[in-house]
Amino acid sequence: LSQVGPARTCWAPSAWLMLPLLAIAHQTFVPSPTVRAHAPAALRAPVRSILVPATPAAAPLLTRGLQAMHVSVAAGALLAPAVADGFAAAAWGLFDSCAFTHDRMFEASLAVSCFVAFILFFESIHLVVDPRVYRLDGAAPKRPLRGFTTQWWKTVVPALTYLGSIYVYHELSLGQLLYGPPPADVLAHGPGVPTWGRVVTEL
């Protein structure tokens, strides 16, 4: 970490980027609007039959763990930005040392994989919890996982189309035609080591 750069104060510019993360962490502690336990009776009464009971259940361990993670990461980056930048630099070095991350189709393949995985998790959540508890209309999901079963092409076609378009983009060198060649310093030294603030902002 001593090679990352000189230590900065806890209010360095990159540390200010942690404030939105703290705001997100705060929101995780606020009860869902579907939980009417603290709402006025006039707002609770019309929808009480289709929403969760007036007394919310205790938050599961996973939820509390995620809440603690948000707060600790944001607070740590605010108090010790140099240490946070060191972690980002170490993670970037590990990532950059993997040969497959330099393949021209790596970013597109990672994006498609994440899209498909997130949609799969969302559409299969009814297998883990009862989604009616968290829906405003109290209804069960209609035709869940159809994009992975009876209508699989709705998942496969967009994924292949996206990958194909990125492949053509590289094959025809459209990037250089549209934006010109990369700057000389980027070609010589690469994009540089990102700071923690940059990583959080881009993610």
Side-chain angles (χ1 to χ4, degrees):
L1 297 181
S2 60
Q3 298 177 355
V4 174
R8 291 174 289 178
T9 64
C10 64
W11 298 110
S14 64
W16 286 100
L17 296 174
M18 299 302 105
L19 293 178
L21 189 60
L22 278 175
I24 295 173
H26 171 264
Q27 290 301 316
T28 63
F29 288 92
V30 178
S32 168
T34 61
V35 178
R36 305 293 178 171
H38 305 289
L43 295 179
R44 275 204 315 267
V47 293
R48 183 179 298 168
S49 61
I50 62 172
L51 297 177
V52 296
T55 303
L61 182 61
L62 177 60
T63 300
R64 292 302 184 193
L66 292 175
Q67 292 170 347
M69 180 187 68
H70 278 86
V71 173
S72 61
V73 168
L78 283 171
L79 297 175
V83 176
D85 286 346
F87 280 115
W92 173 259
L94 179 63
F95 176 85
D96 194 54
S97 65
C98 299
F100 66 87
T101 62
H102 297 274
D103 187 272
R104 63 182 184 176
M105 292 298 295
F106 170 74
E107 185 176 356
S109 301
L110 179 63
V112 169
S113 300
C114 291
F115 293 156
V116 174
F118 291 155
I119 294 172
L120 176 62
F121 293 155
F122 179 80
E123 291 203 1
S124 61
I125 195 172
H126 66 283
L127 302 176
V128 182
V129 298
D130 185 1
R132 295 173 297 178
V133 174
Y134 304 99
R135 289 176 60 103
L136 289 174
D137 58 5
K142 298 180 179 179
R143 298 187 298 275
L145 293 173
R146 62 177 176 175
F148 297 89
T149 53
T150 58
Q151 300 180 7
W152 54 267
W153 59 88
K154 290 187 175 182
T155 300
V156 174
V157 172
L160 293 181
T161 301
Y162 178 79
L163 289 174
S165 65
I166 299 301
Y167 179 80
V168 172
Y169 174 89
H170 288 300
E171 280 293 304
L172 299 182
S173 300
L174 295 180
Q176 294 194 27
L177 293 176
L178 293 173
Y179 309 110
D185 58 333
V186 174
L187 291 175
H189 307 290
V193 178
T195 63
W196 177 261
R198 176 183 168 187
V199 172
V200 172
T201 303
E202 294 188 2
L203 290 179

